[in-house]
Amino acid sequence: MTPFLYRYKLMSVAEQYGIAGGTAREIAASVESGVADGALQPGASLPPVRRLAEELGVGAGTVAAAYKELRVRGVVVTLGRGGTVVASAPAVTSRRPPRVPAGLRDLAGGHPDPGLLPALTPPARVEPVPGSHRASPRLAALKDAARAWLARDGVPTDAVTFAHGALDCIARLLSTELRPGDAVAVEDPGFHHLLDLVTALGLRMLPVAVDDDGIRPEALRSALRAGARALVCSPRGQSPLGARFTPDRRDELLLVLGDFPDALVVEDDHNADIAGADAVTLTSGDLPRWAHVRTVSKHLGIDLRWAALACDAATLARHDGRMLLTSGWVSHILQATVADLLTDPEVTRLVAGAARTYAVRRDALGAALGERGIASHGRSGLNVWVPVRDESAVVNGLRTRGWWIAAGTRFRIASPPGVRVTTATLTPAEATSLADDFAEVLADSQAVYGG
């Protein structure tokens, strides 16, 4: 289908896809249903407000209110003269990753190596409890272990609580601090699930450029001046770039943040124990509003949906107040399992060995690419980011050679294109083969691009 005909069909979307309703809520629900079942794909244009109002026999204000509700919920975005279109990652559709084609080596997922994870052993016996755990939501043994874990790296531990994973925690922090339409400073390139989450909460993203040392101070200042009320960043193991804070970069960022004391600073240290980088945290700078989130899924097991949160007293009160009204507490069975793992010397040795292995694998790919004249980023974490001119050409070219990697578009807002390679299971020998294939694909794509 030609682009012109495609646009023509989208412009008559009310008829093609059956948008219906007589109230703003009904119209919004109709559009949302079309997006959820796939009839309206990302990028699809919705009719202008007045045109849809005429087709449905309602006032223009009713349609405008429906579109506003859809924007707040992250279903659609407005592109100025480009009109209203379905968001690239609408909050009502499944965000499950595509199935890896048979026969391909999967280097796209960002997951740890199962062979480097400990076996999970839940408590052998769990006694029944009267009522609920709302009065005592945190096991004392795990709270002590979490405090020791955080304090080891210089994170203040006066106020510590738990959540169901990093994104659960960050979503609760942002939703209690901000209102739809408020702006959040996020890393660019950054973690794609976080970018989707911010949009789904009805918040605006202000991109902050990242280099090997983390977010850039001048970019952060620009975002805060533009009205960002919160910052979400990773101090190490940053996905997808693999950045990590240095002491100098931390100090530069703290100078910037000192001019914006009302901004909430959220650190996502999601793979602290296997990042392969020292802990350098903004929380050491006596910030007025801050939160440091850590999870164990990357180094202890992906089924352990638990996060430790250290923060200032006001942030803890707001987080826990909202949690008590919803899920209430993290399962005590899960808490007991995590507490045993965090305090087991054998598990500690296993995790330390895993961190060394991940560093060897990550560095092997970076070195192999460098030997072939291919620049890459990956100072910490489980991934290597490779800047490229044409993401699709590289992804498809490597696919024909047996490799499955992630296109960078889902990680980017305004940053240049690239691809992400997860090195968690990539042996040094495989890294050499992948680098050879990468060089061939780049040569082929550049020849085509140059005409």
Side-chain angles (χ1 to χ4, degrees), residues 48 61 87 89 100 111 117 169 172 188 233 246 258 265 276 279 282 290 307 320 328 336 344 355 392 413 418 448:
V100 180
H111 306 303
L117 295 172
C169 183
R172 194 171 294 112
D188 183 23
C233 62
T246 62
V265 177
L282 296 173
W290 62 276
D320 280 10
D344 186 333
S392 296
I413 303 172
V448 172

Side-chain angles (χ1 to χ4, degrees), residues 335-360:
Q335 289 189 45
T337 303
V338 175
D340 288 344
L341 290 167
L342 285 179
T343 56
D344 186 333
E346 184 59 36
V347 171
T348 299
R349 286 191 289 272
L350 174 66
V351 172
R356 292 190 293 270
T357 299
Y358 288 134
V360 168

Side-chain angles (χ1 to χ4, degrees), residues 167-180:
L167 289 176
D168 170 73
C169 183
I170 293 171
R172 194 171 294 112
L173 291 171
L174 294 180
S175 63
T176 56
E177 293 288 334
L178 282 67
R179 295 292 178 266

Side-chain angles (χ1 to χ4, degrees), residues 132-139 142 160-176 293 305-309 311 314-332 334-335:
S132 76
H133 287 300
R134 291 183 188 275
S136 55
R138 293 175 293 280
L139 288 182
L142 182 54
V160 173
T161 189
F162 305 157
H164 300 89
L167 289 176
D168 170 73
C169 183
I170 293 171
R172 194 171 294 112
L173 291 171
L174 294 180
S175 63
T176 56
V293 186
R305 310 310 299 168
W306 173 85
L309 168 64
C311 53
T315 298
L316 181 138
R318 294 175 184 180
H319 173 277
D320 280 10
R322 178 67 60 87
M323 188 168 183
L324 286 171
L325 291 172
T326 53
S327 55
W329 67 91
V330 177
S331 162
H332 278 207
L334 174 59
Q335 289 189 45

Side-chain angles (χ1 to χ4, degrees), residues 16 47 77 91 107 113 119 130 152 155 181 198 247 278 284 300 318 346 372-373 441:
Q16 294 288 330
V77 295
L107 303 176
D113 183 348
R152 178 196 70 191
V155 178
V198 171
D278 293 337
S284 63
L300 295 183
R318 294 175 184 180
E346 184 59 36
R372 291 153 182 79
V441 168

Side-chain angles (χ1 to χ4, degrees), residues 396-445:
N396 291 328
L398 287 175
R399 177 177 180 174
T400 64
R401 290 164 171 79
W403 308 101
W404 183 253
I405 66 171
T409 184
R410 59 179 173 162
F411 304 99
R412 300 187 293 107
I413 303 172
S415 57
V419 294
R420 192 190 75 171
V421 183
T422 297
T423 57
T425 62
L426 188 71
T427 66
E430 289 178 312
T432 299
S433 298
L434 174 57
D436 285 337
D437 288 339
F438 217 117
E440 292 180 7
V441 168
L442 286 179
D444 291 343
S445 65

